[in-house]
Amino acid sequence: MAGNGVQGFQNSSGFSGGDTTDSLDNDRSHDPASSGIFSTDLRRHDDLKEMLDSSDDRKKLEAMKRIVGLVAKGKDASPLFPAVVKNVVCKNLEVKKLVYVYLTRYAEEQQDVALLSIATFQRSMKDPNQLIRASALRVLSSIRIPVIVPIMMLVIKDGVADMSPYVRKAAAHAIPKLYSVDPEQKEELVSFLEKLLADKTTLVIGSAIQAFEELCPERIDLIHKNYRKLCSLLADVEEWGQVIIINMLTRYARTQFVDPNQSEGNDQSAEPVKEKAFYSSNEDSDSDSDEGPSKPVYMMDPDHRLLLKNSKPLLNSRNSAVIMAVVQLYYHCAPKSEVGLVARAMIRLLKSHKEIQYVVLSNIATMALNKKGVFEPYIKSFYINANDALHIKLLKLEILTSLASEHNVSVMIREFQQYVLSTESDFSSASIQAIGKIASGIGDITDACLGGLITLLSNKNETVVGESIVVIKKLLQMKSSGHKDIIVHLAHMLDKITVARAKGAILWLIGEYCDKVPKIAPDVLRKAAKVFIQEDDLVKLQTLNLAAKLCITNPKQTQLLCQYVFNLAKYDQSYDIRDRARLLRALILPGDNAGALAKHAKKIFLADKPAPVVQSRFKERDQYQLSSLSHTINNKAHGYNELPVWPEVPPPSSVRNVEVPKPSTSVLLKASKDTKTGKKEKGFYSETESEEESSSEEDSSEEEGSSSEEGTEDSGAEDSEEESEEDDSGEEDTQTKYKHKKEVTSSEEEEEESEEESSSEEESSEEESSSEEEVVPVKKPPKAKPVTKPTAKKETGNLLDLLDFEQTPSPVPNGAAVTHSAAPLQPMMADLTLSPTSPASSKVKSVAATFIPTEQHELLNRMTSGGLSTSYRFTRSPNFYSEKMTSVELTFTNQSDQPITNVKVGEKRLQAGMHLHEFLPIEKLEVGSTLTVTIGIDFNDTLQPAEFDLMTAERTYKVKVKAPVGELLTAVTMSENDFNSLKGKLGGMNETAATLDVEGAGISQLQSIITKVANLGQVPSSEEHTLLYAAHTLSTKCDVLLKVKHTDSNVTLSVNSEKIVIGSMLVKDLKTALTSHS
């Protein structure tokens, strides 16, 4: 039985017949029990080898699938290399593909065996299947042996010129591999790479740029002529190719363009600067000229703008690496005013995996230090979630600390107070540190933060207490005056504190400010000396410092205690403490052999210490390129290339101009004239003439393809002679005048075309072919011949001729009827309308406000401002500075006993997207006088207040103007049909409705209340007891529609708008107003 069992086991371990179900149990782990004396590695893959040696393609395919599966699982399948490489010659396409996949993986490890099949690989390069050719090229490039370098050069040369872009892509990948084997072939490889860079296929470009980065990143001249092509095709390249191209173009932009932020106020591009100069008055220009020579205005290079413009759509990519590549491009190469475009895309990435979150947050932390305003609108996105990992929490805390400002600090401190209560000690400690950073950065809240940190000293968590003491110590260094009570309170807590850092901080504070607590300091030293031996090294060092300082300031009470502490430290186990004690003894208790430094001991120990500078740990990461590995690890990684410095003078942009061979000017001009002349002349042919001459003109058109230009002119002259014989006299005069105008205009066009530099052979050939096709008349059904009126032609002839030459004629479909008459002029005449508005815009018309508010809102109280009383009201009138702004009338009244001078708007603290147009400064406001001015505020369709400073010669006041939702609208009207159509489009979530009980309110009273609440225009309504109103938001021109349905007992309100917040707030205000009047 035992023998049969062993024999059966041995039989089962081999391969018999064609059964493969129990052949390969190699997926199991190789433990001693499975590979003892009963099995051997020599027979592990016998079944697969027999299947590969079989003549049955199905068995070979099954074996290759299992082998590739082993490779995919990370198992070692290299012993099968000789058996697999023999199947390179297999005619089955599927088997051959899998063989090449395997060989690409193991060709570098089994180079000797792979060399035996090089001839087969070379033959595969001639295979009609592109996948086989590319696979053979990949395998050959994986055999990194210098002997086959000449063969590889020939194979890459063929691959670069291959018709398939897939093969050319494989050739681009092979170039860096060959360069790593033989760097001496660089020059020839660069020539291959130059051909690949000129490729217009998006599949190849990404791989070609990757090869460029590895082979010759310093050869910027190879990019010049391909720069604009790379920018235009950027959106169509594969995602990883986009990352490579954008990173390369970032370095290219830093070497070829100037810094867009090189001078102050250059955040905008050249277009706004031109507009401002164009619309500036003569007085402004005179004043500017008086000031002196103006600084040169920065003009962004068009190629620089092209790169930013074409990379912006990639912010919507699904690949996080592509988004981060665009982010670093904008951060390093874009004007400061445009960097904010990337914020929304980065915030969206925070919903990804935590690994992606870490990288994105690291980059945001760096950006927030220099460009705080970019992420301030999204500050709530950085609030801590309960399921966030610790490293994510710490990064968000760092970002929140960097974004803290006077406007949001109160909200942020309340948020941090919740974080302090976390059970995660590291996170709670980091939260306390964040509070300390904010308090040190914003001086106005330092006292409040100190009070909050002192309350944390009663916390049961020792870590929280210890960290609070450390932060209090830093804050007291910055503002120690008036905080004696805090130092005394900390001294009383010394016995209860167990955290070494906290104890050391208390001892340092008492020693530093011992003059403020002269009675407590000696007793603290006595307690510290009692437990000196059991303390941590950090506490011991601070005890030595305290003893030294007290011995200097109060030697009568503390000299003996100081000697005792020094003697204890003399025999301590730590050499740092022993050395410190030896140094301090020599300075404080010098004895007879006093050194020179002992005389200056007081200046050394009691000198004023500078306040600690709280700096973000991401400050130093700004030296690395954003979204790079070096930036993430805060260390220079292998292969990292620093960003080039902006050049002071940019290289000439002409290096990026691509010269395209142009056809001769005479051929182009003649083809253009023939096209336009032939098209116009056909309009004067009669139907019978077109039918009779169709055959003769077809012959002449065929001859045109092979004849010279003189022949074309002769045939054109013959056609004109036949027309003059058959047409009547009236038509002759009209045609003569028309041809005369054509000649005059074509001569002008010749001058324009001679100046064009970007015309190509393809465009000219298309124009010539279209001219040949248009000369051929198309047969039409019998139709009455329209007659062109001479008067109409006389009035519009010049303008119509100009339109004919400027607009490209549209191609005529085959078999379509062409009407050669005055009918084509009708659409042109329809466009020549004198109406200032288009038909689409005439549906909605702006109307004046029905109700002008008179209610005054207090802006500045005379009691708090020293007599300057200021109020404001909304005028609902168009703002002259910008149609997006709300006009606000300010009324200043001087109720003091002295004139108030120099009243003006100071610092503006506006939310992102908001703008304020200030009034001219008021030089003097007499006692008892009142003055009214108007400002414009663009609230950006939000309900956030506009905060700014109102300044006088003596004081500055912080004020804010908050607009009700009804003042963010401008009244419009439209037809009832347009109203209903637009309302139907703005349904669902865009609709807010409410019903309320209003008794005794008539239609006229409802109208009065509604127009008082909001600036709405009334729309005529055919329904009874129904009021319709319409408006646009001032900033974004979004539609706001209001429908009010009144019955005897209630009123139904329905507001439709894309701005959901505005719609809901408008309903709320209307409900409040209607309820209060009921």
Side-chain angles (χ1 to χ4, degrees):
M1 291 293 292
N4 293 337
V6 173
Q7 184 179 2
F9 179 84
Q10 292 174 346
N11 290 336
S12 65
S13 64
F15 175 77
S16 61
D19 187 10
T20 61
T21 56
D22 57 344
S23 60
L24 183 65
D25 218 3
N26 295 311
D27 290 350
R28 66 185 185 276
S29 58
H30 299 294
D31 56 311
S34 62
S35 59
I37 60 173
F38 300 106
S39 63
T40 175
D41 290 339
L42 298 177
R43 301 178 59 86
R44 280 178 59 196
H45 303 298
D46 284 354
D47 56 342
L48 293 175
K49 292 178 181 177
E50 290 184 14
M51 294 173 69
L52 291 172
D53 293 338
S54 173
S55 59
D56 190 356
D57 289 344
R58 288 180 298 178
K59 291 183 179 180
K60 290 183 178 181
L61 182 61
E62 178 65 24
M64 287 307 305
K65 286 181 179 179
R66 290 165 60 183
I67 292 172
V68 172
L70 290 176
V71 175
K73 293 178 181 178
K75 304 296 179 63
D76 183 21
S78 57
L80 292 168
F81 192 88
V84 173
V85 76
K86 291 187 297 183
N87 288 278
V88 174
V89 296
C90 181
K91 295 182 179 180
N92 188 295
L93 186 60
E94 299 299 324
V95 174
K96 186 177 286 190
K97 289 179 184 178
L98 295 178
V99 168
Y100 276 117
V101 170
Y102 175 87
L103 294 179
T104 303
R105 168 65 179 81
Y106 288 106
E108 191 170 358
E109 298 178 9
Q110 304 282 341
Q111 295 178 352
D112 296 337
V113 182
L115 283 174
L116 302 177
S117 303
I118 282 187
T120 306
F121 299 148
Q122 288 182 276
R123 285 196 301 270
S124 298
M125 287 298 300
K126 306 298 181 182
D127 194 283
N129 191 314
Q130 60 177 351
L131 299 178
I132 299 301
R133 297 199 303 272
S135 300
L137 182 55
R138 278 199 295 268
V139 173
L140 280 172
S141 61
S142 300
I143 306 175
R144 305 192 181 188
I145 300 178
V147 179
I148 65 168
V149 168
I151 299 176
M152 276 302 305
M153 292 295 294
L154 295 175
V155 170
I156 293 178
K157 183 178 181 180
D158 294 341
V160 169
D162 198 280
M163 294 294 293
S164 170
Y166 187 72
V167 180
R168 298 199 298 273
K169 181 183 180 72
H173 290 160
I175 289 177
K177 295 180 182 179
L178 182 57
Y179 175 69
S180 64
V181 176
D182 189 3
E184 296 180 359
Q185 304 293 332
K186 181 176 180 178
E187 293 184 3
E188 192 170 355
L189 291 175
V190 168
S191 63
F192 296 158
L193 180 60
E194 189 173 2
K195 295 179 182 179
L196 292 173
L197 289 174
D199 202 311
K200 296 182 180 180
T201 309
T202 55
L203 188 64
V204 182
I205 291 177
S207 302
I209 295 298
Q210 177 62 35
F212 168 81
E213 290 287 88
E214 297 185 25
L215 181 62
C216 52
E218 73 283 353
R219 289 287 305 273
I220 299 294
D221 57 299
L222 298 178
I223 305 298
H224 287 326
K225 55 186 177 181
N226 300 304
Y227 172 81
R228 292 168 184 166
K229 179 193 68 177
L230 291 173
C231 292
S232 60
L233 297 179
L234 191 57
D236 300 324
V237 181
E238 59 184 350
E239 293 174 343
W240 296 112
Q242 290 173 345
V243 176
I244 296 168
I245 293 174
I246 293 174
N247 289 329
M248 185 274 297
L249 291 179
T250 302
R251 291 193 299 107
Y252 180 87
R254 294 284 294 234
T255 59
Q256 301 300 311
F257 309 124
V258 294
D259 186 2
N261 305 305
Q262 58 186 347
S263 60
E264 296 181 359
N266 289 340
D267 292 347
Q268 302 295 332
S269 58
E271 291 77 11
V273 175
K274 286 184 179 179
E275 246 180 81
K276 184 176 181 181
F278 179 80
Y279 288 109
S280 61
S281 62
N282 295 332
E283 297 178 359
D284 296 339
S285 61
D286 294 338
S287 63
D288 293 340
S289 61
D290 295 339
E291 291 177 0
S294 60
K295 296 182 180 179
V297 179
Y298 168 71
M299 306 287 287
M300 180 175 283
D301 192 293
D303 290 330
H304 192 175
R305 173 58 61 194
L306 178 67
L307 173 60
L308 297 176
K309 178 182 177 182
N310 288 1
S311 59
K312 180 181 175 182
L314 298 183
L315 290 172
N316 299 320
S317 175
R318 62 182 180 180
N319 192 313
S320 57
V322 176
I323 296 176
M324 293 308 302
V326 179
V327 167
Q328 63 87 22
L329 170 65
Y330 269 77
Y331 181 77
H332 294 296
C333 300
K336 291 181 179 179
S337 59
E338 300 181 15
V339 178
L341 298 174
V342 306
R344 187 182 297 273
M346 299 185 76
I347 296 300
R348 190 176 73 248
L349 291 180
L350 296 182
K351 300 178 181 178
S352 305
H353 303 293
K354 57 184 178 182
E355 294 82 8
I356 297 177
Q357 288 184 42
Y358 178 79
V359 176
V360 175
L361 289 171
S362 299
N363 288 275
I364 292 177
T366 302
M367 296 175 67
L369 294 176
N370 301 326
K371 298 178 174 60
K372 183 183 296 187
V374 173
F375 297 101
E376 278 186 348
Y378 309 98
I379 195 168
K380 291 185 179 179
S381 301
F382 304 111
Y383 286 171
I384 311 298
N385 298 322
N387 56 351
D388 285 339
L390 177 61
H391 61 280
I392 300 296
K393 292 179 180 179
L394 297 179
L395 280 173
K396 287 186 175 181
L397 275 178
E398 189 74 31
I399 295 170
L400 289 172
T401 306
S402 301
L403 297 179
S405 62
E406 295 180 357
H407 312 297
N408 54 29
V409 66
S410 58
V411 179
M412 204 168 290
I413 292 296
R414 286 199 300 269
E415 188 76 15
F416 286 176
Q417 288 174 351
Q418 299 298 320
Y419 300 160
V420 171
L421 304 177
S422 174
T423 56
E424 204 168 2
S425 59
D426 292 338
F427 177 54
S428 60
S429 299
S431 303
I432 297 172
Q433 293 175 8
I435 294 175
K437 290 180 182 178
I438 294 176
S440 61
I442 304 174
D444 296 341
I445 64 166
T446 303
D447 294 337
C449 290
L450 274 173
L453 291 172
I454 290 174
T455 59
L456 292 177
L457 297 180
S458 59
N459 195 292
K460 296 180 180 179
N461 191 335
E462 295 182 355
T463 305
V464 173
V465 175
E467 198 65 43
S468 300
I469 293 174
V470 174
V471 174
I472 289 174
K473 172 228 174 188
K474 293 180 180 178
L475 294 179
L476 288 179
Q477 278 186 267
M478 301 175 62
K479 196 175 182 180
S480 59
S481 60
H483 295 297
K484 175 183 175 181
D485 296 338
I486 298 178
I487 300 176
V488 173
H489 181 67
L490 293 176
H492 289 307
M493 293 184 61
L494 186 62
D495 296 335
K496 303 177 183 178
I497 302 299
T498 58
V499 180
R501 290 182 63 215
K503 266 193 172 183
I506 294 175
L507 293 174
W508 185 92
L509 279 173
I510 295 174
E512 186 67 19
Y513 304 108
C514 57
D515 55 334
K516 297 182 180 181
V517 285
K519 297 181 179 180
I520 298 177
D523 193 50
V524 171
L525 179 60
R526 180 183 60 81
K527 290 183 177 181
K530 286 176 62 177
V531 292
F532 183 85
I533 300 176
Q534 292 84 16
E535 293 291 354
D536 188 86
D537 289 353
L538 178 62
V539 180
K540 291 179 181 179
L541 290 173
Q542 293 301 331
T543 304
L544 289 173
N545 291 340
L546 175 62
K549 292 177 181 178
L550 290 179
C551 187
I552 294 173
T553 58
N554 190 4
K556 293 182 180 180
Q557 293 182 338
T558 59
Q559 185 172 5
L560 293 176
L561 195 57
C562 180
Q563 291 179 354
Y564 174 73
V565 173
F566 286 168
N567 290 332
L568 290 176
K570 182 178 180 180
Y571 302 102
D572 196 88
Q573 295 181 354
S574 173
Y575 61 86
D576 286 336
I577 297 173
R578 295 197 302 269
D579 293 345
R580 178 73 62 88
R582 189 178 299 112
L583 172 65
L584 295 178
R585 184 187 293 274
L587 292 175
I588 306 302
L589 305 172
D592 297 335
N593 300 325
L597 290 177
K599 301 177 182 180
H600 306 285
K602 187 173 183 179
K603 294 182 180 179
I604 294 174
F605 286 96
L606 301 179
D608 293 334
K609 277 80 172 176
V613 178
V614 181
Q615 187 174 353
S616 173
R617 60 190 177 96
F618 284 87
K619 186 69 176 177
E620 57 185 12
R621 297 197 186 191
D622 197 30
Q623 60 181 319
Y624 300 112
Q625 185 175 354
L626 216 63
S627 76
S628 62
L629 177 61
S630 299
H631 176 272
T632 304
I633 64 176
N634 195 22
N635 200 355
K636 190 172 182 178
H638 176 70
Y640 173 76
N641 295 322
E642 294 184 358
L643 275 177
V645 181
W646 291 102
E648 295 183 1
V649 179
S653 59
S654 58
V655 295
R656 290 182 289 276
N657 294 337
V658 181
E659 296 183 1
V660 179
K662 301 194 316 182
S664 62
T665 308
S666 58
V667 174
L668 269 177
L669 296 178
K670 187 60 187 173
S672 177
K673 287 194 291 183
D674 290 346
T675 301
K676 293 161 185 172
T677 307
K679 182 176 180 181
K680 284 295 180 180
E681 287 178 351
K682 288 195 293 182
F684 293 93
Y685 290 156
S686 63
E687 298 175 3
T688 55
E689 289 171 351
S690 300
E691 294 175 358
E692 291 174 357
E693 295 175 6
S694 60
S695 59
S696 61
E697 288 187 349
E698 288 175 358
D699 296 337
S700 64
S701 64
E702 293 176 358
E703 293 173 359
E704 278 181 358
S706 58
S707 61
S708 63
E709 293 177 7
E710 296 178 359
T712 306
E713 293 176 356
D714 295 339
S715 62
E718 291 174 3
D719 293 341
S720 61
E721 290 175 3
E722 292 176 3
E723 292 165 9
S724 61
E725 291 175 1
E726 295 176 359
D727 290 347
D728 54 80
S729 59
E731 292 176 348
E732 268 184 346
D733 296 338
T734 305
Q735 185 175 358
T736 304
K737 294 177 182 178
Y738 183 79
K739 291 177 67 178
H740 175 67
K741 292 179 179 179
K742 290 285 290 182
E743 292 172 359
V744 174
T745 314
S746 62
S747 65
E748 296 174 359
E749 189 182 12
E750 290 176 6
E751 296 176 0
E752 295 176 0
E753 291 183 350
S754 62
E755 296 175 359
E756 293 179 354
E757 297 179 359
S758 61
S759 60
S760 61
E761 284 185 349
E762 296 178 1
E763 294 176 353
S764 61
S765 61
E766 290 176 0
E767 291 176 1
E768 291 175 1
S769 61
S770 62
S771 64
E772 293 175 1
E773 293 174 1
E774 290 171 353
V775 171
V776 181
V778 183
K779 294 186 179 181
K780 304 165 289 185
K783 188 175 181 182
K785 179 179 179 181
V787 180
T788 304
K789 295 183 180 180
T791 56
K793 181 174 176 56
K794 183 177 180 181
E795 294 175 359
T796 62
N798 294 332
L799 183 57
L800 292 178
D801 291 344
L802 184 61
L803 290 174
D804 289 340
F805 279 96
E806 291 180 348
Q807 296 179 354
T808 304
S810 57
V812 180
N814 294 332
V818 181
T819 305
H820 301 289
S821 63
L825 303 181
Q826 294 175 359
M828 296 183 183
M829 294 298 294
D831 294 338
L832 301 177
T833 175
L834 299 178
S835 175
T837 58
S838 62
S841 62
S842 62
K843 296 180 181 179
V844 180
K845 298 179 181 179
S846 298
V847 295
T850 308
F851 175 82
I852 305 299
T854 58
E855 181 183 0
Q856 295 283 345
H857 307 272
E858 187 179 60
L859 185 66
L860 199 59
N861 189 279
R862 65 183 182 87
M863 302 299 294
T864 59
S865 63
L868 178 61
S869 175
T870 309
S871 60
Y872 67 93
R873 75 177 183 92
F874 299 96
T875 63
R876 293 189 181 178
S877 59
N879 189 274
F880 293 104
Y881 182 74
S882 173
E883 60 179 5
K884 295 183 178 181
M885 289 187 171
T886 302
S887 296
V888 183
E889 184 182 86
L890 301 181
T891 303
F892 297 98
T893 304
N894 186 1
Q895 299 182 6
S896 65
D897 54 356
Q898 295 179 353
I900 299 175
T901 59
N902 197 18
V903 182
K904 61 181 180 179
V905 174
E907 181 185 358
K908 305 170 187 176
R909 297 178 300 277
L910 305 176
Q911 299 291 333
M914 295 175 61
H915 302 88
L916 186 147
H917 179 61
E918 56 194 57
F919 59 89
L920 294 176
I922 302 174
E923 296 181 0
K924 190 175 184 180
L925 189 62
E926 297 292 345
V927 177
S929 62
T930 300
L931 186 64
T932 300
V933 296
T934 302
I935 61 174
I937 304 177
D938 180 5
F939 288 95
N940 196 24
D941 292 349
T942 64
L943 300 178
Q944 298 295 326
E947 301 183 13
F948 57 93
D949 289 346
L950 200 59
M951 302 176 61
T952 63
E954 294 81 14
R955 299 178 62 181
T956 300
Y957 311 99
K958 294 181 179 180
V959 297
K960 58 183 178 180
V961 175
K962 186 173 182 180
V965 66
E967 306 302 333
L968 303 178
L969 308 176
T970 177
V972 299
T973 186
M974 61 185 72
S975 65
E976 184 178 6
N977 292 335
D978 293 335
F979 182 93
N980 294 330
S981 176
L982 196 56
K983 181 178 174 63
K985 296 177 182 178
L986 296 174
M989 295 181 63
N990 295 322
E991 182 173 350
T992 306
T995 303
L996 61 156
D997 297 331
V998 178
E999 297 180 358
I1003 290 293
S1004 59
Q1005 187 178 2
L1006 286 177
Q1007 291 175 336
S1008 175
I1009 296 173
I1010 290 171
T1011 54
K1012 185 177 180 180
V1013 171
N1015 186 13
L1016 299 168
Q1018 189 163 1
V1019 176
S1021 174
S1022 59
E1023 300 181 22
E1024 294 184 0
H1025 307 292
T1026 301
L1027 299 176
L1028 304 180
Y1029 293 93
H1032 281 167
T1033 58
L1034 280 170
S1035 185
T1036 57
K1037 304 302 180 186
C1038 290
D1039 296 303
V1040 179
L1041 307 179
L1042 170 64
K1043 184 175 182 179
V1044 182
K1045 198 164 185 179
H1046 176 255
T1047 61
D1048 296 336
S1049 58
N1050 55 34
V1051 172
T1052 302
L1053 304 175
S1054 174
V1055 176
N1056 298 77
S1057 177
E1058 294 179 8
K1059 300 284 185 179
I1060 302 175
V1061 176
I1062 288 182
S1064 60
M1065 292 302 297
L1066 180 58
V1067 170
K1068 181 179 178 182
D1069 291 353
L1070 288 172
K1071 286 175 62 178
T1072 304
L1074 292 172
T1075 305
S1076 61
H1077 285 79
S1078 60

